[in-house]
């Protein structure tokens, strides 16, 4: 009955029934390690105990579940917690807009607001960017798989090369700056630049702190708003709550979704107070105030009251990096390279098709792991942040075993041919 | 801390803590009758007992809460129930696409698919239409409050007059047909027509069955896809599950959201099987498979296993219509008119500002009721479908009392002026 | 060697060598009466004696032939003559912009200026409008023959019904007004309305004076600029110099081309002085100041120093109308209708193909006459304004004879079939 | 009376009355050397004797002056001459389309045809490109002076860096290729690339033969049409008839205007025969067949019957280059650089404003010379190709004198300040 548009279900052909932490269980009772984490939605694991307990309590007390954008006690607690635990300690004074509860909704809101404020329709996005698939977000998403002549308006977006796009020796910001400074370059002054600090769907491309600082500098010079899309790599994925924290930049707007709702649908836009130029009701949506997500989020934001989680991420990040680099060395025929930060890592295998094979066979062995990059050539490690060391190592072990088998089979095939 | 974009919170200035059925309770313990129903999301009432029970059980059993579009037991049960209870008895063979869990996401998916299939970029929408606020949906939404030079691409949409737009004597389909038949009219042949059978945000404008049949006929003749937007008036709001059932038309696509998730975020697109031309993964989104919504929905769809709910809606619809028409007669100075069907009714008060006053004062008296129409001139009655007769009458009574007071005050002011 | 895009050459398969007044002569010495007049470019006839003499003199004196937009003596004389003979006697204070020397260039300039002044991107055009085929003009041209998915941006134009579009009993301005007054109609407030008083390519549709006055009234009320496209029906075609004169309206901008250059390429935009908000050099083009056209135009504008030409047009218009109506009566099987004003008349033959046959056979008999309308169903009478009565009657006689033959042949074919 | 949009008239404040060869004479009898040549329209000089004689004869014989796209003897002769003298000797088999008689019209036609053939809406243009100002052409013109939020549709164009844009060490085609090869770059596969071999308005930027060859190679690889815009630098300006001849590439389409009409308005599109997919009449325009321009062109094309003109251009090119480079050395404080080919040369003076001063004062001394580049920082040498050596040297002498004076005055001002 379901549409052919299904994607993940094809890669991971099982019917899942239960889940806990970093483990999923299908209807036959088979267990799977989850290195996918709902593409960044399950940073705190499946059915986190604190979350489950709070949800049950809330429902049993007949808490308001759906309330559009009306004020509820749950929303009040969420805003207070976000301020106390995340914004205030980092000296951010952002205002919060609840958009429709998906990433693409908050991106659309950010673009709409930026264009309205600056009165300029152009926006700059980067090569290999992924920001969502509604019409406004799609226009700034690079992958041509999603773009079709008939349904996409290509207007009002200019793509610039991301950090490292022309190799390590070219500073791509020089290109961008040249286009901006030259009044005849054909680049219309954009209202905003939107960028991911780590391109997750684009192949785990990591922008350096210097590049981000340079980008912020350009935005200030040319009066352009800087929007950081934190949908996939915010919420602690990079090691800190916001992935841009360590670079020291202060975006004008930040889009948040995925894990910000504690695993439930929620999306929000942070914006500097002077940018909050919306008229009441100008951007609406039915599910903006998902109260169950507020309840869940309050529980998961609690992880940021101290440095324990952050420290644990850095510790496990070290393991992940070390182990993946060891794999690259162990299997030199793959010509694999390792990229990432925190608990998002890419293991790129240039030969097209191999990475896909890795994901497929690893699933048979009990590991759920996704691909990314323009040709699905990057195996994408995205475990829950709360994963324990043992399960992490177990998952990596499955990858090791899988690659070994694939190369062996390949070897045999080659031998047979002679 | 929250953005100025907030809307409803301004009309209904209270912090709500608990809710049940058609009642909301604020932090001070004040009770409010809910004639708003989450703009159509709470057709089965707040914290419906069956839903709450099922959710608690699911969470306590560590059911998969978030799974992108992977298969889960909850999704399987939902699809089966939708088929058994809704589609099969009505002889519909639609396939189901889970889009991002908001109405605007499903509208964007429908437009994208239609343009892709037909290879034509134009789409026809109607005056006073409301289909959402992401860029693709905004382009087909008529209200200029949401449209701004800088952020909207006005492309590829033509607006045609809705049923009754030029008064009862003009068949607006004749206009549409003339534009289609004339190769020099400037109207590019659209890939699709998208229409609401009852325009909820547009002021409770009800399309007649004949008009809908004529529209379907035009679509068939000119090879145009017919998309019915059921987001606000589907899910039983009109008396039947789908609002278009009684007209006998068979849309090519149907957008569903709001109450389809049993009060939790969910949206889906129904499409005729031959239109399911998506490539795997071509339209994605993080929260497509909201498993808690699947669990909730299975419980609320159960209401459609027999005719009890439908009969109850028709019964209460009669009361609502009768009482509102009585109010229009009782207060002739208002020049009010009554429009609607099922449990969605509009009470239009032409003098700008009065309707707003009604909503404001009614809230003080314990009733939550929204406005609609281009100038907020229509009081919009949208109680839960499960409301009991007593509460329904109580809410209408508050309106009666409110109007009385407003007119009295006005009278006094006028007297004073002389 | 020439592209397949050729059009007229196919309808009129001869190689023309010489021309004078209303007559063309081909290389074999065959003579043709010209009821086409260069689609309105030869209002004063081929090789008008005064024009030829002035051109020869200018060239022999080494007058500046090409000078971009630099000042020349020829340009000075042209502007002075335009003022003395056309603008001043009619109390118009327009400023003059020389655009590229084609109609579509002046239309593009008008749209660009209007959007810039009002800061609104939308423009309203009318059903069956024809304004040219560069991208900006094409967007406001109704005929779908010229419009293709891949090359046209459909954006920022709304089509409204022209006078009489829904028959004589419907005032189409009511339709337009309703869309403007309703803030949720989906019509974005346009910067300008552009309209032809008589749609020449669209099938010789004549707007009534009342309709034009009503349109001007709407433009004033809603702060919309009114652009009259006089490219084909200006320059005396309607009987007065400007076709809108007799309705008493004062357009904000007027586009002129075709005969304004005395038969040579020239186009200009008239605009109210306060609308002249161009920055120097903001809209340029190589052939803006076609000095030979200035020289030619000075000679032909002289026709407007007194009323002789105007009187003669009205006299010949009477003959043309009378004779065409007599033909419609004489051949009732055609169900023909006659429309027009001045020396632009349409003879509509509803049965598709017959009008084409008329044009083809008339050419064999020595008459050049074009078609118009969405299905080429209208024979379009457009003789030079300076045609003598005898030649006019001769041309009409050829049409009479042609129709007679066509109907006879048809009759014979029908008889044979039985 | 004339619009504020006037440009050149401000730089050259005189009323010109007569002209001959490379000289203009104003109403007071003052003579000016013309290093502007109608921006490339007067390659064969003002009032070329052969042209004047032929025009007078044609007019006196009542030759057809205006005939839309009908066949005339003049058109036949023109096509035959173009074939015999230009196309055939160079082995080009292009078909010819007569568009409206301005450069921007032929560019619009080329874009429309390319998009229609390939069914892709995107087009690639280059930084600092200038292709005209109607809406389609403006979209591919880089200079933001002409681009305004309200009137321009920015859609369906991607700008790539022109040869040398990032300095001599960066091959900008690598940049373009990377965007094309990467399916996630955000660059939609274009239907066509449009490029000038020498950017005239953009500051006399000269693409190397290798770069053009590389560009053609990319177009072939990725199935993209290659359009060369020869409007300003074709017609012998570069030394050969077509500026791209010497690089050995074969464009799919070539746009020609300016001098192709022998000084009168004419524009045409050359296209490979298999690309001539127009339907009859699909792209029209009133002044497509400007017969006087055909007559004039036949005379000027005669210059290409042998190599005399080409040899003369190369000889004078040598003088111009040498003298300009000598000036750059003579006035080292200017930091001037010299760029160009054939008889189009740029003398770039980086300090903003100086070039403008040079043009202004040179005019007072009897030389008409224009500027180009994004900041008008390039003095643009564009004399008629037929200029005699003495007049050429005289014009350069005026520039020498002018610069000397400007620097002296500057020196004095500086001294005074101390």
């Amino acid at each position: 009955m379901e549409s052919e548009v299904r994607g993940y279900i094809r890669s991971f052909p099982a019917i899942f029934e239960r889940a806990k932490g970093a483990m999923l269980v299908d209807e036959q009772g088979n267990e799977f390690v989850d290195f996918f984490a709902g593409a960044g939605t399950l940073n705190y694991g499946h059915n986190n105990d604190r979350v489950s307990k709070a949800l049950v309590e809330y429902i049993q007390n007949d808490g308001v579940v759906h309330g559009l954008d009306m004020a509820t006690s749950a929303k009040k607690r969420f805003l207070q917690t976000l301020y106390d635990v995340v914004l205030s300690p980092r000296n951010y004074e952002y205002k919060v807009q609840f958009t429709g509860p998906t990433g693409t909704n908050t991106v659309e809101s950010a673009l709409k607001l930026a264009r309205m404020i600056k009165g300029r329709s152009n926006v700059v996005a980067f090569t290999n960017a992924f920001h969502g698939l509604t019409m406004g977000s799609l226009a700034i998403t690079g992958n041509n798989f999603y773009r079709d002549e008939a349904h996409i308006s290509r207007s009002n977006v200019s793509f610039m090369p991301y950090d490292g796009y022309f190799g390590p020796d070219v500073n791509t910001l020089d290109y961008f700056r040249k286009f901006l400074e030259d009044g005849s370059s054909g680049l219309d002054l954009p209202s905003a630049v939107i960028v991911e600090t780590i391109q997750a769907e684009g192949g785990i491309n990591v922008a350096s702190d210097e590049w981000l600082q340079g980008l912020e500098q350009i935005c200030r010079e040319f009066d352009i708003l800087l929007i950081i899309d934190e949908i996939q790599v915010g919420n602690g994925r990079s090691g800190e709550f916001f992935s841009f924290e360590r670079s020291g930049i202060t975006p004008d707007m930040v889009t948040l979704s995925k894990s910000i709702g504690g695993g439930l649908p929620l999306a929000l836009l942070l914006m500097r107070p002077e940018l909050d130029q919306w008229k009441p009701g100008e951007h609406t949506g039915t599910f903006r105030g998902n109260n169950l997500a507020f309840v869940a989020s309050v529980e998961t934001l609690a992880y940021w009251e101290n440095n324990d989680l952050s420290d644990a991420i850095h510790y496990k990040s070290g393991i992940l990096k070390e182990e993946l680099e060891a794999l690259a060395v162990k299997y030199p025929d793959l010509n694999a390279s390792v990229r990432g930060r925190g608990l998002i890592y890419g293991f790129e295998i240039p030969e097209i098709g191999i990475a896909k094979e890795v994901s497929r066979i690893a699933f048979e062995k009990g590991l759920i792991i996704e691909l990314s990059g323009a040709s699905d050539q990057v195996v994408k490690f995205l475990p829950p942040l709360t994963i324990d060391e043992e399960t992490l190592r177990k998952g990596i072990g499955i990858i090791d075993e899988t690659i070994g088998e694939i190369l062996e089979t390949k070897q045999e095939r080659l031998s047979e041919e002679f």
Side-chain angles (χ1 to χ4, degrees), chain A:
Chain A
M1 266 180 83
E2 206 184 334
S3 164
E4 296 303 319
V5 79
R6 286 159 304 165
Y8 296 120
I9 198 175
R10 298 164 191 270
S11 313
F12 311 120
I15 301 183
F16 298 102
E17 186 159 356
R18 283 172 302 115
K20 192 79 190 172
M23 301 300 297
L24 277 157
V25 187
D26 73 8
E27 292 193 336
Q28 283 70 44
N30 302 309
E31 294 203 341
F32 297 85
V33 173
D34 186 359
F35 268 21
F36 178 21
T41 308
L42 295 160
N43 282 5
Y44 309 100
H46 291 272
N47 290 297
N48 185 292
D49 282 336
R50 290 184 56 162
V51 170
S52 297
K53 191 162 158 289
L55 285 176
V56 166
E57 210 167 281
Y58 190 77
I59 294 168
Q60 287 176 335
N61 283 332
D62 288 335
V64 175
V65 168
H66 181 268
L68 287 145
D69 75 348
M70 296 194 293
T72 62
S73 311
K75 190 203 263 189
K76 203 171 69 173
R77 273 194 305 274
F78 168 76
L79 283 170
Q80 193 60 51
T81 308
L82 183 71
Y83 180 76
D84 291 346
V85 174
V86 175
L87 300 181
S88 173
R90 288 164 181 79
N91 291 312
Y92 293 134
E93 298 191 25
Y94 293 120
K95 289 188 78 173
V96 179
Q97 177 186 358
F98 295 105
T99 67
T102 70
T104 193
N105 286 75
T106 171
V107 169
E108 292 257 356
S109 301
L111 297 180
K112 190 189 283 195
L113 186 58
R115 285 170 166 146
M116 206 166 66
I117 289 172
K118 294 294 180 193
R120 308 175 206 141
S121 55
N122 200 29
V123 158
V124 160
F126 289 90
T127 51
N128 287 281
F130 183 95
H131 299 290
L133 296 181
T134 49
M135 198 177 272
S137 306
L138 180 51
I140 56 170
T141 288
N143 198 320
N144 62 16
F145 173 61
Y146 303 114
R147 301 164 73 97
D148 177 276
E149 275 297 324
H151 64 68
I152 177 159
S153 167
R154 288 155 167 74
S155 45
N156 304 331
V157 177
S158 303
F159 282 88
M160 285 289 144
Y162 193 72
D163 191 16
Y165 196 64
F166 299 120
D169 299 334
V170 178
N171 181 354
T172 56
L173 291 179
D174 294 344
Y175 284 60
F176 185 19
R177 176 178 288 280
K178 170 80 175 169
F179 268 88
L180 280 170
E181 283 178 347
D182 176 3
S184 287
S185 68
L187 175 68
D188 297 298
L189 184 65
S191 54
V193 160
I194 183 163
V195 68
E196 303 152 282
T197 61
I198 303 169
Q199 294 185 321
E201 297 304 307
I204 321 296
N205 308 311
V206 184
S208 73
D209 293 341
E210 294 70 34
W211 192 84
L212 290 172
Q213 290 154 9
L215 183 60
E216 183 185 44
Q217 172 61 23
I218 283 177
C219 287
R220 300 297 165 244
E221 260 179 67
F222 291 90
D223 184 34
I224 302 166
L225 295 173
L226 178 60
I227 305 170
I228 301 286
D229 181 341
E230 286 278 291
I231 293 170
Q232 187 149 172
V233 300
N235 291 300
R237 178 56 59 187
S238 73
E240 288 79 37
F241 188 84
F242 294 114
S243 72
F244 56 81
E245 281 180 42
R246 69 173 217 188
S247 72
I249 66 172
T250 307
D252 295 296
M253 299 188 204
V254 178
T255 58
L256 274 176
S257 183
K258 299 207 186 248
S259 283
I260 193 64
L264 300 183
L266 190 66
L268 46 86
L269 177 65
L270 302 178
M271 58 197 139
R272 287 194 295 106
E274 62 271 34
L275 300 178
D276 184 21
Q277 301 178 13
W278 291 109
K279 289 188 280 278
E282 197 174 3
H283 193 74
T284 69
T286 296
F287 292 110
R288 281 165 298 165
N290 184 358
N291 282 277
L292 291 187
F294 290 147
V295 170
S297 189
V298 163
E299 299 306 316
T300 54
L301 286 175
Y303 277 98
W304 298 94
E305 284 167 0
N306 56 43
N307 288 328
D308 292 356
L309 180 65
S310 192
D311 291 347
I313 297 169
H314 286 121
Y315 173 72
K316 287 176 281 192
S317 177
I319 295 169
L320 184 55
K321 182 162 191 276
E322 198 176 306
E323 293 290 326
L324 292 182
E325 284 172 349
L327 286 183
V329 170
K330 182 174 175 189
Y331 302 109
D333 291 358
L334 290 180
N335 288 312
S337 55
V338 175
R339 291 192 299 268
R341 232 174 75 197
L343 280 174
I344 176 164
Y345 264 87
F347 187 81
E348 176 159 19
I349 307 174
E351 190 183 333
I352 303 299
I354 302 289
K356 212 163 203 160
E357 197 71 0
V358 170
S359 169
R360 194 182 59 78
I361 296 179
F363 180 72
E364 292 172 7
K365 294 181 183 296
L367 177 70
I368 296 176
I369 193 158
E370 204 198 2
L371 306 170
S372 78
S375 314
D376 276 350
Q377 81 281 22
V378 181
V379 185
K380 179 178 162 192
F381 292 78
L382 205 77
L385 305 181
T386 53
I387 196 170
D388 60 84
E389 184 173 342
E390 192 191 335
T391 314
L392 179 66
R393 289 192 184 277
K394 184 178 165 194
I396 301 171
I398 293 177
I399 290 293
D400 185 357
E401 199 184 313
T402 300
I403 294 175
E405 278 185 27
I406 289 172
L407 291 180
E408 204 171 325
T409 315
K410 215 177 150 184
Q411 198 58 42
E412 283 167 13
R413 255 201 318 259
L414 279 171
S415 313
E416 281 166 19
E417 285 172 15
F418 290 95

